[in-house]
Amino acid sequence: MADNTREIVLDMLLEEEKGETYSHRLVFDVLTKYDYLTAQEKAFIKRLFEGTIERRIELDYEINQVASVPVKKMKPLIRSLLRMSAYQIFFMDGVPNAAAVNEAVKLAQKRKFVSLKGFVNGVLRKLSTMGEPVLPSREKEPKAFLSVAFSMPEWIVEHFLNLYSYEETEALLAALLEVRPVTIRFAGQLAEEERDALIQRICGLGGRILPHPYVKQAYYLENCDNIARLPGFSEGKFTVQDASSMLAVAAAGIRQGDTVLDICAAPGGKTLLAAEYAGAGGSVKARDMTEKKIARIAENVERMKLENVSMEVWDATVFDEKAAESADVVLADVPCSGLGVMGKKRDIKYRQDKEAVAELNALQKAIVRQAASYVKKGGILLYSTCTINPAENEEMVDFICKEAGFLPESIEAYLPDMQGKETARRGYIQLLPQIHDTDGFFFARLRKKTT
């Protein structure tokens, strides 16, 4: 692969390290900018960038075994250059080690780090001779082993070990590292014959579509580097949405003619599905914090040709008196720590810490207090997060029930035959990637008391 693709990845890594843009948005923006590149080149950029981010802890551990300067004290460009080159050496079998080393040295020189060419060359050549990555002892340092082997901050490892056994934690961490295909949902009004014909057209272009094991509307989409260009996308025949999100909206039990309020709606996946359930006689109002987020929802609504959706910018922590007890169903997918989507948003785990997660709880409570006030008496609040954390999930359900006058309601009837349904009768479920092949996702169905 030419050095220009590596240079693109290097610049992406430097941009990500600033902490101003999430990695999945960087990938989207860069691949859009360089859409003229071949599919192979774009796949290389995506894999190298995402893999380097995802394996950062392990890569730093390996580099520190052989480098005279600790990774954290290196110049940002050299640090990023060594990480991406080490990733090629250890995890990209199709890239010869010599190519990874030589291209890195060329890039160091091109970017005016001539004096550090020898350092880069020496570190990478030592890594090339290691064969397999060196890991902490599983027996002597079990937490450190999990942290390095699965590139997970130790505080998150400890968090999962407090919830699950060592074996279950290892399976969860492994699942979060797996490369998962995009999940799509075909529009509800699409006839089965038209859907099947569309699947055949996409497969004819080299794509691969497989049904999700748990969710009828969900399909895995593979071997497609630009979904927006696929047949049917611009016409609103399908949209991108994880199966976990689909299950959550289904559990809300939205009926034809219902009034629905989605208070933290961007990018709009739940809004779109809720609008299909509510039908022409119902309505969905989608809210979020910024014009930019609302614009993303509007784009999806227009593409899917939904006429029962309205949108507005609104801070979910601010009470709206006009909306008091106005909705049959309120969807509250609140801001959370994101510990369930680390496989998709690979830099989340580096941007969170215990203190930040604890602070989120106050924000979540502020949002659900307002969300609860918008539900009609006897109506439904569907609370959800994309995390694996009882403080943000089960404990928040308890808070809503005690503080806002709600009762949990069984979701058994809304779930397919699947593992992990033991809590469904109590009104909630924690989805886990290693069990359900979805994001790590939590949702609860809560009914507002009538008196």
Side-chain angles (χ1 to χ4, degrees):
M1 196 62 60
D3 65 339
N4 64 317
T5 55
R6 290 182 170 88
E7 188 167 17
I8 290 170
V9 174
L10 178 60
D11 287 332
M12 292 170 71
L13 291 170
L14 290 169
E15 184 65 27
E16 186 278 331
E17 194 166 349
K18 295 176 184 177
E20 297 172 358
T21 307
Y22 278 105
S23 61
H24 66 288
R25 294 303 306 171
L26 265 174
V27 170
F28 177 83
D29 292 343
V30 168
L31 293 186
T32 300
K33 178 181 178 181
Y34 294 100
D35 195 43
Y36 59 83
L37 294 175
T38 66
Q40 182 184 13
E41 288 171 325
K42 286 189 281 188
F44 179 85
I45 289 170
K46 187 175 188 294
R47 183 182 174 191
L48 181 53
F49 174 70
E50 291 180 342
T52 302
I53 296 293
E54 191 163 54
R55 292 280 186 175
R56 181 182 297 170
I57 290 175
E58 182 175 3
L59 296 172
D60 286 359
Y61 184 86
E62 305 305 334
I63 293 168
N64 281 333
Q65 305 302 306
V66 299
S68 57
V69 178
V71 170
K72 63 181 180 181
K73 292 187 177 182
M74 293 178 184
K75 295 183 181 298
L77 186 138
I78 297 300
R79 178 166 56 234
S80 293
L81 185 57
L82 288 177
R83 283 171 174 166
M84 61 182 272
S85 303
Y87 183 82
Q88 294 168 72
I89 290 168
F90 289 120
F91 298 107
M92 297 183 74
D93 294 337
V95 178
N97 287 352
V101 176
N102 293 338
E103 295 297 341
V105 172
K106 288 180 186 177
L107 271 175
Q109 180 169 339
K110 183 177 181 180
R111 302 300 282 266
K112 312 301 183 186
F113 284 90
V114 178
S115 63
L116 291 175
K117 281 196 316 179
F119 174 75
V120 169
N121 182 67
V123 169
L124 294 179
R125 289 198 178 280
K126 288 177 183 177
L127 292 178
S128 297
T129 63
M130 287 172 60
E132 295 295 321
V134 175
L135 300 173
S137 167
R138 183 195 294 267
E139 292 72 27
K140 296 179 181 178
E141 302 176 275
K143 280 194 292 189
F145 170 81
L146 291 178
S147 176
V148 173
F150 299 102
S151 278
M152 190 64 66
E154 279 205 19
W155 76 267
I156 299 180
V157 172
E158 291 176 0
H159 169 75
F160 288 148
L161 286 172
N162 287 332
L163 300 176
Y164 308 110
S165 69
Y166 191 91
E167 292 73 20
E168 290 170 328
T169 296
E170 186 167 1
L172 171 57
L173 295 175
L176 288 170
L177 276 181
E178 288 181 10
V179 177
R180 295 182 182 276
V182 172
T183 307
I184 62 172
R185 176 182 64 79
F186 286 101
Q189 69 270 22
L190 199 66
E192 187 174 340
E193 296 78 11
E194 190 176 0
R195 182 202 64 199
D196 292 344
L198 197 54
I199 288 174
Q200 290 302 315
R201 287 179 64 194
I202 293 172
C203 290
L205 295 172
R208 189 165 179 248
I209 298 183
L210 298 170
H212 192 280
Y214 290 128
V215 185
K216 185 179 179 181
Q217 311 100 302
Y219 287 78
Y220 294 125
L221 177 61
E222 298 178 327
N223 302 335
C224 297
D225 68 294
N226 192 332
I227 293 174
R229 288 189 175 181
L230 291 178
F233 182 82
S234 61
E235 296 86 358
K237 306 296 185 183
F238 65 90
T239 190
V240 175
Q241 186 177 16
D242 192 74
S244 57
S245 173
M246 299 180 213
L247 286 170
V249 179
I254 299 167
R255 299 167 297 183
Q256 292 280 312
D258 273 352
T259 299
V260 181
L261 177 60
D262 190 353
I263 62 169
C264 300
K270 294 182 186 66
T271 293
L272 302 178
L273 185 53
E276 291 189 7
Y277 285 134
S283 66
V284 179
K285 178 170 284 187
R287 290 177 165 179
D288 221 305
M289 281 282 289
T290 66
E291 292 284 359
K292 186 177 181 180
K293 289 186 174 183
I294 291 298
R296 290 182 67 193
I297 300 170
E299 181 182 329
N300 284 318
V301 168
E302 182 179 358
R303 182 176 57 81
M304 299 296 287
K305 300 176 177 61
L306 294 166
E307 298 180 353
N308 60 345
V309 179
S310 60
M311 292 146 284
E312 64 179 343
V313 176
W314 194 274
D315 182 343
T317 65
V318 176
F319 177 60
D320 178 11
E321 186 176 359
K322 292 180 292 185
E325 296 193 348
S326 65
D328 298 296
V329 176
V330 171
L331 304 178
D333 188 36
V334 300
C336 68
S337 57
L339 301 184
V341 291
M342 292 184 287
K344 288 181 178 176
K345 300 178 179 180
R346 291 161 176 82
D347 45 347
I348 280 182
K349 57 188 175 184
Y350 309 120
R351 299 190 184 206
Q352 296 284 16
D353 55 39
K354 289 181 180 179
E355 292 71 25
V357 172
E359 290 172 5
L360 271 171
N361 216 231
L363 174 62
Q364 290 161 351
K365 287 180 178 179
I367 290 174
V368 298
R369 283 191 183 99
Q370 308 308 335
S373 71
Y374 305 142
V375 183
K376 294 178 180 177
K377 286 183 171 63
I380 295 295
L381 174 65
L382 196 288
Y383 175 83
S384 60
T385 72
C386 56
T387 196
I388 306 169
N389 180 12
E392 299 175 77
N393 295 340
E394 293 90 338
E395 291 176 24
M396 282 298 298
V397 170
D398 291 340
F399 171 80
I400 295 167
C401 291
K402 290 176 182 176
E403 299 291 323
F406 282 76
L407 293 171
E409 193 165 271
S410 174
I411 56 173
E412 286 182 295
Y414 300 99
L415 296 177
D417 185 18
M418 60 197 296
Q419 297 183 58
K421 286 178 62 173
E422 296 81 8
T423 63
R425 189 173 297 177
R426 302 202 295 275
Y428 67 87
I429 189 169
Q430 174 72 71
L431 300 175
L432 296 169
Q434 78 276 22
I435 295 175
H436 304 106
D437 207 17
T438 66
D439 291 337
F441 201 87
F442 176 92
F443 57 88
R445 174 185 168 94
L446 308 170
R447 187 173 292 277
K448 194 170 192 177
K449 295 178 182 178
T450 55
T451 56

